[in-house]
């Protein structure tokens, strides 16, 4: 007869590579190109006598004058060699699972090489930049955590931007009128309120969640701009809330590099780190987390075991709003201490991107926040070093990275299965 | 007979075969968006009530932010009340007069409506094909920039120069939009994310280009472009009024989109893939190509809107963020117009009126024009959630299919 | 333990899904609820489980009336349900799924995973279920997933267990195991209701059979004095011919040949792994097998909807391995897809638009650019008439049609040509008996006109009734090939992957 019984195809008979192998090949080639680029531009782009000096302590710190002086060309050459080696490993396609790790390490090394190049013949405060990285990452991470709280229960929160903006505004006004702590609380509550609005529109009225998010963003931009012009211009005293001071943690704060980055900041930074940890353990080790995730993955299954899907969603979306409110408060009560129209300028969307980049995981969100914070810090510091790279390109970087991430170049990430779908029962 | 009748029964065992009547999905949205299945009265009633509700809430916002009147409440409540009412009255009177009150006002409305209609069509085409193009803004920027470049770098008589510039804008917008389509087709990247990101990238790209020799006006240090040649500037339709031939282009675009969507094979593919990509794939349509084509068509319409912003009004130059918020208003427009080109036309005229009137309101009544944004946001909410309007006005729910879902998650 | 439903009525907008339904079951009894698709069985069970609120009627447990506002209430009352589409979170472990909604916790809501694991192990060993508490659901075969559902129900101390179409996803051998589990539960004093539309298993498994038709309970019988014919008549409401009438096949030249095909699914898993077979003109080849063993991917690869990783597909000797879906369609291939709502139809589109869904791009429906709608309507009118599609008109959305009529729209569209090769996946899933008979006769008709036909179905009865030759798939490979005289047992063994002693070759 015609059918062949249970043979199984051999590898040689295949006329195409598996997607995983194709990706490894692409990444491998990319890494080799990257290595050549690093060597060519950053290695040969400096004088052979240049040294780059990285300052590893801030002026006035307990342990001052910690420096790292390095031969610029030599370091870049070494880094290029390492990247090329990793690229070669990836190309061999024996360890497919390590493709992403190799990619991540290579990109970090490229960043280091870039800094060496930019600081060639100069002195550069690496620790200053790392501190900025942490500070700039805070609103992004908080935005990502806010989005994560919502999407883990399958509500898309594209209104992070509007929530940040509105709470920044309310924090400013209340903070100026009363005091900074009350302003802070008001900001968080307003974030919660907007979270509740999103929840009602999405859960009660089944509005498409992206439309609901866009609406909240337009509404927030319109209302804050309207009020800023109508109220803040008339009463400028309502636009100076002051700011939260930093609180150094004894001993840890004096550790070089790590100290100023993580242990000599204000309470928003500590709060963010604590939130990341709490949400991580909450999501994966508690009843609340198990139920939330089940609602995000398979709401009907959750419903059939008696979990109130809607209540769970309301609760988490409102909590997500609170976290965005915290981020908004950070913007005006910690960073700039006054409100301006459209002050957020897209940070909320970067937060959304960080959530995706971080694969809907709290620590992923933090890591992505730090990456984006690094890009923004770089953009600020490069002006000082006077590199020929236009700042607009660095501004674009987070957005380009996001597109690369969602395009799956860094591997396919998997959102909660029910993400974006309303749950309707009889 | 054994036929179970023509009405699907909500029986769980039949999930594989019967449509679940209560699971809103893209088909409901499209039904809603295209106005199929709801009577004309229903189709007009909800938008009218949405507008009314938005204006009422707008009035409340004006009232509670009326600092002068608020101060009066403790001393003279009567005066405070009438003062508040006067404030609202003045604002809305200015809104009306500024949009419809005079020949100039009407032409200003048409002038303001022109880019809105074009960008609204861009979003509507996307909706009909199941794609959510939040990137009209970026496509306007890129399209407008290319159009402008043709406008000042090419020398030609008006009759050739303007079509050439328009073509440039179409190509620019189509490329930027098509890029999002390509990303979706090739990698499954969700268009909502990519178009948002491409908006920002376009914004910075504009900033960068405007400070380069290619675009920057001579003798300037700030990001502002050269001025378009007079041969490339859109001629006005009437002397002394700003409304220009761009409005006619917008009308032509309305007709074109209608023909494309409902009379052409391409539109059939767009709508089929939009309603059910798997169905389109099964029917032999090239879904990837459709995604790219839809986003390119959408982007080209947005590009036209962008050309309006640089070739249709003073200073006939590009500057940082010259497309403004039009790309986001367009989403509201498409929803309000139920993604039907004619609906978008009327919605565009309404929003154009709000825009023109809003400026008047800011000028004579001192109400910041940003209120218009708030009104628009409220209008979308009420349009997207007809149940909300019905609840407010206590209308018995007739058509429960009017739920909207265009997108489900970020997955491919 | 006594459960009684009395006078249950459920009115959906425009549809009376349950009309004065009465049902009783007691501990230690297995009751089959039999009825066609759309007869109202699942609605009734969803009411029992608190998912729907009845418009009228009463649920009594041991004589007391109970009202269920949600599944939580039903669970508390000792009712457990194993849904047809399992209610398991695919990315969770077995233990996590079992404890969900009923979690053992330590302080601060911290999950006590150890206790959850222990519960799973205890129940698993008590009923011989053999389930690992730490396995991830999506990695488990369907049969094991069903056991997880059973553990989930038992962990909640259910006394009444409702199974919705429990055997539809199981291999014949898994069914044997399932029957043992059911009998174990019965011996343990549990009351069992199982919903089915299959006559044989109702007769074999149940102590009592309640038959539903059009939302009403029309009969209650005991299997002892029943046979399939009589049961079918009660279920459908008229005498039914259970056998497909067809003459022996006269195979001609080979039309389709598949060689060493390898296909991946969306998650890059190798679902088809070196499959080779041929289909000749004038014969019907059936692919049997439990769903998820590569049948879907084979059909998609043959019809150009999914790229293959290796191997060849040839149509009349011509290599079409990398041809597009459209070019394959143009070679007079008719494809009735597995899921008519997901891919066969565009639901919000009208009947007309669906009729021209894969011919819109050429004459006479369009000139390639402009649609000729009058021509499309003409064609729709003709086909609706010819293929007996019951619809209020050709301009109504196809979503408003019944499943059977939706399927007829697809069959009309696909068969209205000089077809050389037909591939039909699950051609009669979820539709009424009348439409099943009609579609079977159309498929046999195509064969008799000389087309090569490939049928894929997870209903072994359907495969055996239609096919001239049967191929069994297991885990992406061909596990056996049989002619139409093979018995259920032989095929069933192959569906489980065990290589039969003798292969009909």
């Amino acid at each position: 007869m015609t059918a062949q019984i249970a043979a199984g195809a051999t590898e040689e008979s295949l006329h195409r590579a598996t997607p995983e192998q194709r990706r490894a090949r692409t990444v491998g080639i990319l890494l080799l190109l990257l290595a050549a680029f690093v060597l060519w531009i950053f290695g040969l782009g400096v004088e052979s006598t240049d040294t780059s000096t990285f300052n590893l302590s801030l002026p006035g710190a307990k342990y001052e004058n910690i420096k790292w002086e390095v031969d610029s060309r030599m370091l870049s050459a070494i880094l290029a060699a390492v990247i090329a080696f990793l690229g070669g490993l990836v190309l061999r396609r024996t360890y497919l699972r390590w493709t992403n790790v190799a990619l991540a390490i290579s990109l970090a090394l490229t960043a280091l090489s870039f800094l060496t190049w930019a600081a060639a013949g100069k002195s550069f405060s690496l620790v200053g930049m790392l501190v900025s990285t942490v500070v700039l990452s805070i609103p992004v991470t908080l935005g990502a955590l806010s989005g994560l709280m919502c999407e883990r229960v399958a509500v898309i929160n594209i209104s992070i931007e509007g929530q940040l903006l509105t709470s920044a505004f309310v924090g400013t006004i209340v903070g100026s009128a009363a005091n900074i702590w009350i302003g802070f609380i008001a900001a968080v509550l307003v974030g919660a309120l907007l979270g509740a609005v999103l929840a009602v529109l999405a859960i009660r009225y089944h509005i498409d969640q992206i439309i609901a998010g866009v609406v909240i963003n337009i509404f927030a931009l319109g209302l804050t701009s309207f009020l800023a012009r109508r109220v803040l211009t008339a009463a400028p005293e309502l636009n100076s809330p002051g700011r939260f001071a930093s609180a150094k943690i004894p001993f840890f704060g004096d550790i070089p590099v790590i100290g100023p980055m993580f242990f000599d900041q204000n309470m928003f930074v500590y709060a963010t780190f604590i939130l990341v940890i709490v949400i991580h353990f909450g999501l994966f080790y508690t009843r609340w987390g198990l139920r939330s995730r089940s609602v995000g993955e398979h709401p009907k299954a959750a419903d059939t075991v008696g979990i109130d899907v809607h209540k769970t969603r309301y609760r988490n979306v409102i909590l997500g709003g609170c976290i965005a409110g915290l981020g908004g408060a950070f913007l005006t009560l910690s960073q700039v201490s006054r409100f301006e129209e459209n002050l957020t300028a897209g940070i909320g969307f970067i937060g959304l991107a960080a959530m995706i980049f971080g694969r809907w995981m709290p620590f992923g969100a933090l890591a992505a926040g730090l990456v984006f914070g690094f890009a923004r810090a770089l953009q600020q510091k490069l002006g000082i070093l006077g590199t020929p790279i236009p700042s607009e390109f660095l501004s674009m970087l987070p957005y380009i990275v996001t597109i690369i991430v969602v395009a799956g170049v860094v591997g396919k990430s998997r959102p909660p299965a029910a993400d974006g779908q309303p749950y309707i029962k009889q | 007979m054994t036929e179970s009748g023509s009405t699907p029964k909500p029986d769980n065992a039949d999930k594989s075969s019967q449509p679940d009547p209560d699971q809103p999905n893209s088909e409901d949205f499209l039904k809603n968006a295209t106005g199929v299945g709801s009577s004309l009265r229903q189709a007009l009633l909800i938008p009218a009530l949405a507008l009314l509700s938005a204006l009422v809430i707008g009035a409340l916002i004006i009232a509670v932010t009326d600092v002068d009147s608020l101060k009066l409440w403790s001393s003279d409540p009567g005066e405070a009340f009438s003062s508040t009412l006067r404030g609202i009255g003045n604002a809305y009177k200015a809104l009306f007069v500024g949009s419809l009150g005079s020949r100039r006002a009407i032409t200003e409305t048409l002038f303001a409506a022109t880019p809105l209609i074009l960008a609204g069509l861009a979003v509507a085409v996307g909706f009909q094909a199941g794609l959510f193009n939040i990137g009209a803004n970026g496509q306007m920027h890129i399209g407008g920039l290319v159009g402008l470049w043709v406008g000042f770098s090419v020398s030609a008589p008006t009759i050739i120069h303007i079509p050439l510039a328009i073509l440039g804008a179409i190509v620019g917008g189509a490329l930027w939009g098509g890029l999002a389509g390509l990303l979706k087709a090739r990698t499954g990247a969700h268009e909502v994310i990519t178009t948002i990101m491409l908006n920002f990238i376009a914004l910075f790209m504009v900033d960068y280009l405007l400070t380069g020799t290619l675009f920057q006006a001579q003798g300037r240090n700030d990001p502002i472009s050269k001025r378009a040649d007079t041969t490339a500037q859109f001629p006005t339709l009437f002397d002394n009024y700003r409304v220009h031939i761009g409005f006619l282009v917008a009308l032509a675009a309305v007709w074109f989109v209608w023909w494309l969507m409902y009379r052409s094979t391409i539109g059939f593919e767009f709508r089929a893939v939009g309603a059910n990509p798997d169905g389109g794939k099964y029917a032999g349509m090239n879904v990837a190509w459709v995604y790219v084509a839809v986003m390119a068509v959408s982007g080209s319409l947005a590009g036209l809107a962008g050309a309006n912003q640089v070739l249709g009004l003073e200073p006939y130059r590009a500057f940082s963020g010259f497309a403004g918020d039009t790309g986001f208003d367009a989403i509201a427009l498409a929803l309000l117009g139920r993604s039907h080109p004619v609906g978008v036309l009327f919605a565009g005229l309404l929003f154009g009126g709000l825009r023109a009137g809003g400026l008047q309101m800011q000028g004579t009544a001192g109400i910041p024009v940003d209120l218009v944004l708030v009104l628009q946001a409220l209008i979308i909410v009420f349009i997207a959630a007809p149940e909300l309007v019905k609840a407010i006005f206590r209308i018995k729910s007739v058509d429960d299919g009017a739920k909207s879902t265009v997108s489900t998650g970020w997955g491919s | 333990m006594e459960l009684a439903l009395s006078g249950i009525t459920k009115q959906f907008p425009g549809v009376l899904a349950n009309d004065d339904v009465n049902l009783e079951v007691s501990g230690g009894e297995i009751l089959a609820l039999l009825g066609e698709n759309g007869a109202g069985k699942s609605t009734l069970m969803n009411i029992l489980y608190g998912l729907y609120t009845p418009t009228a009627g009463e649920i009594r447990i041991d004589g007391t009336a109970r009202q269920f506002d949600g599944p939580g209430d039903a669970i508390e009352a000792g009712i457990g349900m194993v849904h047809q589409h399992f209610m398991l979170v695919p990315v969770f472990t077995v233990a996590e799924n079992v404890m969900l909604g009923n979690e053992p916790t330590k302080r601060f809501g911290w999950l006590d995973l150890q206790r959850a694991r222990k519960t799973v192990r205890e129940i698993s060993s008590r009923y011989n279920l053999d389930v690992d508490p730490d396995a991830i659901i999506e990695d488990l075969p369907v049969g094991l997933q069903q056991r997880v559902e059973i553990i989930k129900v038992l962990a909640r101390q259910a006394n009444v267990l409702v199974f919705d179409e429990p055997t539809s996803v199981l291999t014949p051998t898994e069914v044997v195991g399932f029957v043992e589990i059911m009998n174990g539960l019965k011996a343990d004093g549990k009351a069992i209701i199982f919903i089915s539309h299959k006559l044989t298993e109702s007769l074999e498994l149940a102590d009592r059979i309640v038959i539903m038709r059009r939302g009403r309970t029309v009969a209650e019988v005991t299997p002892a004095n029943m046979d399939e014919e009589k049961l079918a008549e009660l279920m459908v409401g008229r005498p039914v011919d259970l056998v497909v009438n067809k003459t022996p096949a006269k195979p001609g030249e080979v039309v389709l040949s598949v060689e060493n095909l390898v296909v991946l699914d969306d998650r890059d898993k190798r679902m088809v792994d070196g499959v080779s077979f041929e289909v000749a003109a004038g014969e019907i080849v059936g692919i049997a097998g439990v769903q998820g063993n590569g049948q879907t991917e084979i059909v998609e690869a043959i019809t150009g909807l999914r790229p293959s990783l290796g191997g060849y597909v040839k149509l009349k000797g011509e290599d079409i391995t990398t041809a597009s879906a459209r070019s394959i369609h143009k070679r007079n291939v008719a494809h009735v897809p597995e899921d008519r709502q997901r891919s066969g139809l565009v639901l919000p589109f009208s009947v007309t638009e669906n009729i021209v869904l894969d011919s819109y791009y050429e004459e006479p429906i369009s000139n390639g650019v402009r649609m000729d709608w009058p021509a499309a309507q003409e064609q729709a009118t003709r086909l609706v008439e010819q293929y007996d599609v019951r619809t209020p008109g050709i301009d109504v959305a196809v979503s408003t049609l019944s499943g059977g009529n939706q399927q007829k729209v697809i069959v009309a569209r696909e068969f209205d040509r000089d077809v050389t090769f037909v591939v039909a996946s699950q051609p009669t899933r979820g539709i009424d008996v009348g439409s099943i008979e009609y579609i079977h006769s159309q498929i046999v008709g195509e064969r008799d006109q000389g087309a090569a036909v490939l049928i894929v179905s997870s209903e072994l009865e359907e495969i055996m009734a239609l096919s001239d030759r049967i191929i069994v798939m297991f885990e992406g490979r061909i596990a056996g090939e049989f002619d139409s005289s093979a018995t259920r047992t032989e095929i069933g063994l192959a569906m489980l992957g065990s290589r039969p002693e003798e292969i009909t070759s």
Side-chain angles (χ1 to χ4, degrees), chain C residues 9-294:
Chain C
T9 300
K10 176 69 184 175
Q11 176 82 55
F12 287 109
V15 187
L16 190 59
N18 281 166
D19 183 9
D20 190 25
V21 173
N22 297 296
L23 193 77
E24 275 168 34
V25 64
S26 45
E29 182 187 31
I30 298 178
L31 174 78
L33 186 59
L34 185 68
E36 273 203 82
N37 293 295
K41 299 164 294 186
S42 289
T43 306
L44 183 68
M45 288 305 110
N46 282 331
I47 288 171
L48 173 61
Y49 196 57
L51 283 167
Y52 297 166
T53 320
T55 317
E58 196 174 53
I59 301 170
R60 284 175 175 274
I61 294 172
D62 290 332
T64 11
R66 303 293 286 263
Q67 199 196 331
F68 299 151
D69 291 329
D73 295 348
I75 293 167
E76 203 152 304
I79 293 166
M81 183 144 168
V82 175
H83 299 262
Q84 184 184 12
H85 304 280
F86 300 146
M87 292 299 156
L88 297 170
V89 181
V91 296
F92 283 9
T93 64
V94 170
E96 284 175 325
N97 267 293
V98 169
M99 71 170 150
L100 185 66
N102 189 23
E103 303 88 348
T105 50
K106 302 177 203 167
R107 265 188 301 171
F108 310 118
W110 204 264
L111 295 171
D112 190 346
L113 214 60
Q114 287 308 331
R115 256 171 65 197
R117 286 200 190 99
K118 210 173 128 224
T119 313
V120 173
R121 281 201 204 95
E122 275 171 11
I123 299 174
S124 176
S125 64
R126 182 164 160 206
Y127 292 96
N128 263 327
L129 298 178
D130 195 24
V131 172
D132 171 15
D134 292 317
I136 305 279
I137 294 295
E138 62 188 3
D139 298 337
L140 293 179
V142 192
L144 273 179
Q145 291 190 14
Q146 187 176 54
R147 294 181 184 190
V148 177
E149 281 281 31
I150 295 172
I151 294 176
K152 217 170 112 181
V153 168
L154 293 173
R156 289 167 171 74
Q157 270 90 42
N159 290 317
V160 181
L161 279 81
V162 181
F163 291 93
D164 192 356
E165 303 275 359
T167 58
S168 61
V169 290
L170 302 181
T171 62
T173 317
E174 280 179 316
V175 171
V176 174
F178 173 72
V179 172
E180 278 168 22
I181 295 169
M182 275 224 296
N183 285 329
L185 292 167
K186 179 181 161 185
D188 215 23
K190 311 276 186 198
I192 293 167
I193 303 176
F194 82 87
I195 302 174
S196 181
H197 66 272
K198 293 184 189 168
L199 306 168
T200 334
E201 68 180 32
S202 303
L203 285 171
E204 284 168 5
L205 302 182
D207 298 322
R208 207 146 51 83
I209 303 175
V210 170
I211 298 151
M212 281 189 81
R213 192 167 73 224
R214 294 184 166 205
R216 314 191 59 141
T217 37
V218 291
E220 183 177 324
V221 299
T222 44
N225 44 29
M226 265 289 137
D227 60 34
E228 290 197 20
E229 237 94 302
K230 276 195 256 173
L231 211 52
E233 192 174 333
L234 282 170
M235 186 167 99
V236 179
R238 64 174 169 83
V240 181
D241 194 358
L242 290 174
V243 191
V244 177
N245 293 311
K246 63 183 176 73
T247 53
K250 300 179 207 77
E253 55 156 348
V254 169
V255 173
L256 178 87
S257 70
V258 172
E259 289 168 29
N260 216 12
L261 195 66
V262 180
V263 192
L264 301 183
D265 70 358
D266 290 334
R267 291 171 58 203
D268 295 341
K269 201 176 150 207
R270 198 181 281 197
M271 292 302 284
V272 180
D273 194 6
V275 164
S276 305
F277 64 90
E278 287 177 347
V279 185
E283 71 165 345
I284 299 178
V285 173
I287 298 186
V290 180
Q291 236 191 320
N293 276 295

Side-chain angles (χ1 to χ4, degrees), chain B residues 7 17 85 92 150 156 186 190 228 232 244 247 253 292 301 319 345 347-349 368 393:
Chain B
T7 322
S17 67
L85 278 190
Y92 282 167
V150 175
R186 287 301 299 265
H190 200 288
H244 51 76
F247 185 68
V292 178
L301 288 161
F319 44 89
L345 172 64
L349 291 173
F393 292 94

Side-chain angles (χ1 to χ4, degrees), chain A residues 331-352:
Chain A
L331 291 174
T332 47
L333 300 181
S334 167
Q335 260 196 310
V336 291
S337 144
R338 65 174 276 113
F339 183 83
E340 275 158 41
E341 274 182 48
N342 196 16
L343 161 114
T344 45
I347 294 175
F349 291 114
I350 300 188
L352 189 73

Side-chain angles (χ1 to χ4, degrees), chain B residues 1-19 27 259 262-266 268-269 271-272 275-276 278-279 281-285, chain C residues 12 15 37-38 40-43 46 214 236 238 305 326 335 340-343 345-346 348-349 353 357 360 366 368-369 371 373 390 400 402 405 413-414 430 435:
Chain B
M1 265 327 291
T2 55
E3 278 307 315
S4 56
S6 64
T7 322
K9 287 188 181 176
D11 190 331
N12 241 22
D14 308 337
K15 268 288 149 58
S16 56
S17 67
Q18 307 278 24
E27 92 220 23
W259 181 87
Y262 299 111
R263 287 292 175 270
S264 76
T265 51
I266 293 177
F268 186 72
E269 291 186 356
R271 289 186 295 121
N276 182 354
D278 286 320
K281 186 178 166 196
Y282 157 83
M285 297 171 191
Chain C
F12 287 109
V15 187
N37 293 295
K41 299 164 294 186
S42 289
T43 306
N46 282 331
R214 294 184 166 205
V236 179
R238 64 174 169 83
L305 294 171
R326 174 156 298 169
H335 178 197
R340 63 180 158 272
Q341 301 208 335
R342 198 176 74 92
S343 55
L345 297 167
V346 177
F349 272 22
E353 286 173 307
L357 195 63
Y360 67 94
S366 76
V369 179
M371 298 290 289
W373 285 116
R390 314 264 163 92
T400 62
S402 73
N405 282 306
R413 178 181 72 207
E414 295 302 313
S435 301

Side-chain angles (χ1 to χ4, degrees), chain A residues 67-121:
Chain A
K67 280 188 185 142
W68 181 34
E69 270 186 55
V70 64
D71 182 321
S72 312
R73 182 175 287 180
M74 181 66 85
L75 180 61
S76 286
I78 293 171
L79 294 174
V82 175
I83 295 170
F85 175 72
L86 290 173
L89 276 190
V90 170
L91 268 184
R92 286 192 54 187
R93 294 193 238 163
T94 14
Y95 311 104
L96 288 173
R97 286 192 305 138
W98 296 96
T99 308
N100 281 333
V101 178
L103 186 63
I105 294 175
S106 302
L107 290 177
L109 297 181
T110 307
L112 180 58
S113 173
F114 172 76
L115 286 177
T116 317
W117 169 76

Side-chain angles (χ1 to χ4, degrees), chain B residues 144-374:
Chain B
L145 218 53
V146 176
L148 180 72
W149 180 75
V150 175
F152 66 67
S153 66
V154 174
S155 300
T158 300
I159 192 85
I160 294 168
H161 205 173
I162 287 182
L164 218 54
I166 286 180
L167 189 68
I170 288 177
V171 170
L175 287 176
W176 205 246
L179 183 56
L182 191 68
L183 282 165
K184 186 180 179 78
R186 287 301 299 265
T187 70
H190 200 288
E191 76 280 0
V192 166
I193 297 284
T194 53
T195 53
I196 288 175
M197 300 303 147
L198 286 170
N199 278 342
F200 286 105
I201 294 172
L203 212 57
F204 292 115
M205 192 97 104
V206 168
D207 281 356
Y208 170 69
L209 289 173
L210 289 184
T211 52
T213 48
L214 189 62
F215 276 93
Q216 195 169 39
Q218 268 161 356
R220 297 288 288 260
N221 284 322
D222 52 334
I224 188 147
S225 78
K226 301 184 178 99
R227 187 178 163 93
D229 295 349
T230 45
T231 48
Q233 295 171 5
F234 289 174
T236 53
L237 293 175
F238 314 103
D239 287 342
N240 300 323
Y241 296 124
R242 291 204 289 173
V243 61
H244 51 76
I245 59 152
F247 185 68
L248 303 181
V249 173
L251 290 180
V254 168
W255 176 84
F256 171 76
V257 169
W258 172 84
W259 181 87
L260 181 78
M261 294 316 285
Y262 299 111
R263 287 292 175 270
S264 76
T265 51
I266 293 177
F268 186 72
E269 291 186 356
F270 281 14
R271 289 186 295 121
V273 170
N276 182 354
D278 286 320
K281 186 178 166 196
Y282 157 83
M285 297 171 191
N286 186 339
V287 176
W289 180 86
V290 169
Y291 285 149
V292 178
V294 168
M295 286 306 292
V297 169
S298 180
S300 63
L301 288 161
L304 270 178
N308 266 273
Q309 302 295 81
V310 286
L311 301 175
L313 72 163
E314 285 291 351
Y316 299 104
R317 295 174 192 273
F319 44 89
S320 192
F322 64 86
D325 295 324
T326 312
F328 301 104
D329 300 341
I331 298 165
L333 274 169
L335 287 172
L336 188 56
R338 302 201 152 201
S339 297
H340 191 283
V342 178
V344 170
L345 172 64
F346 285 110
L349 291 173
L350 173 69
F351 276 27
L354 282 177
R355 193 59 79 83
L359 287 171
Q360 174 98 350
M361 187 171 73
Q362 177 161 285
T364 61
I367 306 288
V369 71
D370 305 280
L371 185 68
V372 171
L373 270 187
V374 176

